[in-house]
Amino acid sequence: MQLTSSNSGSQSVDQLLHIPATASNHKKNLIVLSLAFLFNFTAYSALQNLQSSLHATAGVASLAVIYGGIIISSLYAPALIRAIGTKWAITVCIFCYTLFTIANYYPREYTLIPAGLILGLAGAPLWISQGTYLTTTATSYTDIKNKVPENVINQFNGIFFFFFQGSQITGNLVASLVLYPSSNMSTFNNVSLCGKHSCGFSNESDEYNGSHIAHGTIVTLISVYLACGLLSCLLVGLFLSKLHAANAGIIQSLRSNRLSLVILPKLSSLAPMAFTMLDLS
């Protein structure tokens, strides 16, 4: 009976250990992670650029709190990732970024600053999780394809940062289209109004600030960014796979523990014989 249960347990562990981790699956995870960061930072990067213009004092204070929170979050980030896993750490942290977007619907010191602190506390875990996930996925991909690890890791990082840096373009493009829907190229002919003053304003002494924009337009802009943040959360939560290497490591640990339970009793039965041989010598 013990041998039968041991054999069945061995077969089940072997089946778990040989869960197929295909190269296409790793590529899919790379694209999902890259798109999630593209949508997330489309919202955050643009809102960050607009804080001083839209919300003046409260917006600037929230930015200061964000980077203070990032410094603090660097201390506990590894413990958080170890507790909930890399995938769910990314999901939770992206949701914290979305909370900051929601706070912009009602921009006050008591909404933006706490939301900025929450975002900052999620900043370091997000980037540490991203680096861990991307490197582990690239390493696993090299094992399947028998490629040089450094080359694959560089390639995966290049693809990821292509999407990530594109968020600066998409975020500011969304802001431009929503804030200036009737603009055309003739509006920007007078480049002397650009720089300190926003392009398109005819009065040189009239600096750009949030008062020029209707409240409904700002709400529309924030709603677009909120949709981007929620889409990012859904992409990670629904389509990003858990780290295959981590699962295999846990199963391998279980297998080692099971084997030790089988081997140690046999070794203990041989111990008296060993001591007898030592005494004879």
Side-chain angles (χ1 to χ4, degrees):
M1 292 294 293
Q2 292 179 350
L3 291 176
T4 303
S5 61
S6 177
N7 291 335
S8 62
S10 177
Q11 291 176 359
S12 62
V13 171
D14 288 337
Q15 291 174 357
L16 289 173
L17 281 172
H18 292 89
I19 297 172
T22 62
S24 60
N25 188 49
H26 289 310
K27 289 181 179 179
K28 181 266 295 181
N29 289 328
L30 169 63
I31 297 302
V32 169
L33 185 64
S34 301
L35 287 175
F37 272 69
L38 170 64
F39 286 114
N40 183 55
F41 284 91
T42 290
Y44 171 67
S45 296
L47 280 176
Q48 182 186 36
N49 296 337
L50 292 171
Q51 284 304 305
S52 60
S53 299
L54 294 178
H55 309 314
T57 305
V60 174
S62 67
L63 295 181
V65 171
I66 286 173
Y67 289 97
I70 292 175
I71 295 173
I72 298 172
S73 65
S74 302
L75 300 176
Y76 65 81
L80 174 64
I81 298 169
R82 187 166 55 249
I84 65 176
T86 307
K87 170 186 174 177
W88 294 113
I90 295 173
T91 306
V92 171
C93 292
I94 288 178
F95 182 74
C96 292
Y97 276 70
T98 305
L99 292 178
F100 181 75
T101 304
I102 295 173
N104 280 265
Y105 280 113
Y106 192 75
R108 301 291 187 273
E109 286 83 357
Y110 51 84
T111 57
L112 284 178
I113 293 178
L117 178 60
I118 293 173
L119 189 155
L121 294 177
L126 176 65
W127 282 107
I128 294 174
S129 300
Q130 175 272 327
T132 302
Y133 193 97
L134 200 63
T135 303
T136 305
T137 301
T139 304
S140 181
Y141 183 83
T142 61
D143 293 337
I144 297 173
K145 290 293 189 177
N146 293 321
K147 293 187 176 183
V148 179
E150 290 80 2
N151 294 341
V152 176
I153 292 173
N154 291 337
Q155 181 185 21
F156 274 42
N157 277 280
I159 294 172
F160 171 82
F161 280 100
F162 169 81
F163 283 92
F164 169 70
Q165 295 297 340
S167 64
Q168 287 286 348
I169 299 174
T170 55
N172 293 322
L173 181 62
V174 168
S176 177
L177 293 175
V178 173
L179 297 179
Y180 306 107
S182 59
S183 295
N184 51 57
M185 293 306 297
S186 62
T187 307
F188 303 98
N189 287 337
N190 189 358
V191 296
S192 64
L193 298 179
C194 297
K196 180 182 178 182
H197 305 286
S198 177
C199 295
F201 285 102
S202 59
N203 187 357
E204 293 186 356
S205 64
D206 189 14
E207 295 188 27
Y208 172 78
N209 56 62
S211 62
H212 290 107
I213 306 172
H215 179 69
T217 303
I218 297 177
V219 170
T220 301
L221 178 64
I222 296 172
S223 298
V224 174
Y225 289 148
L226 177 59
C228 290
L230 294 176
L231 179 58
S232 179
C233 288
L234 290 175
L235 281 173
V236 176
L238 297 179
F239 299 106
L240 191 69
S241 303
K242 291 185 178 180
L243 283 180
H244 183 81
N247 294 339
I250 294 172
I251 297 170
Q252 185 63 48
S253 177
L254 292 174
R255 170 186 246 183
S256 299
N257 292 335
R258 183 181 60 80
L259 289 176
S260 65
L261 292 176
V262 174
I263 294 172
L264 286 178
K266 295 181 179 180
L267 292 178
S268 62
S269 65
L270 296 175
M273 183 182 299
F275 285 118
T276 302
M277 295 176 64
L278 289 174
D279 292 339
L280 292 175
S281 63

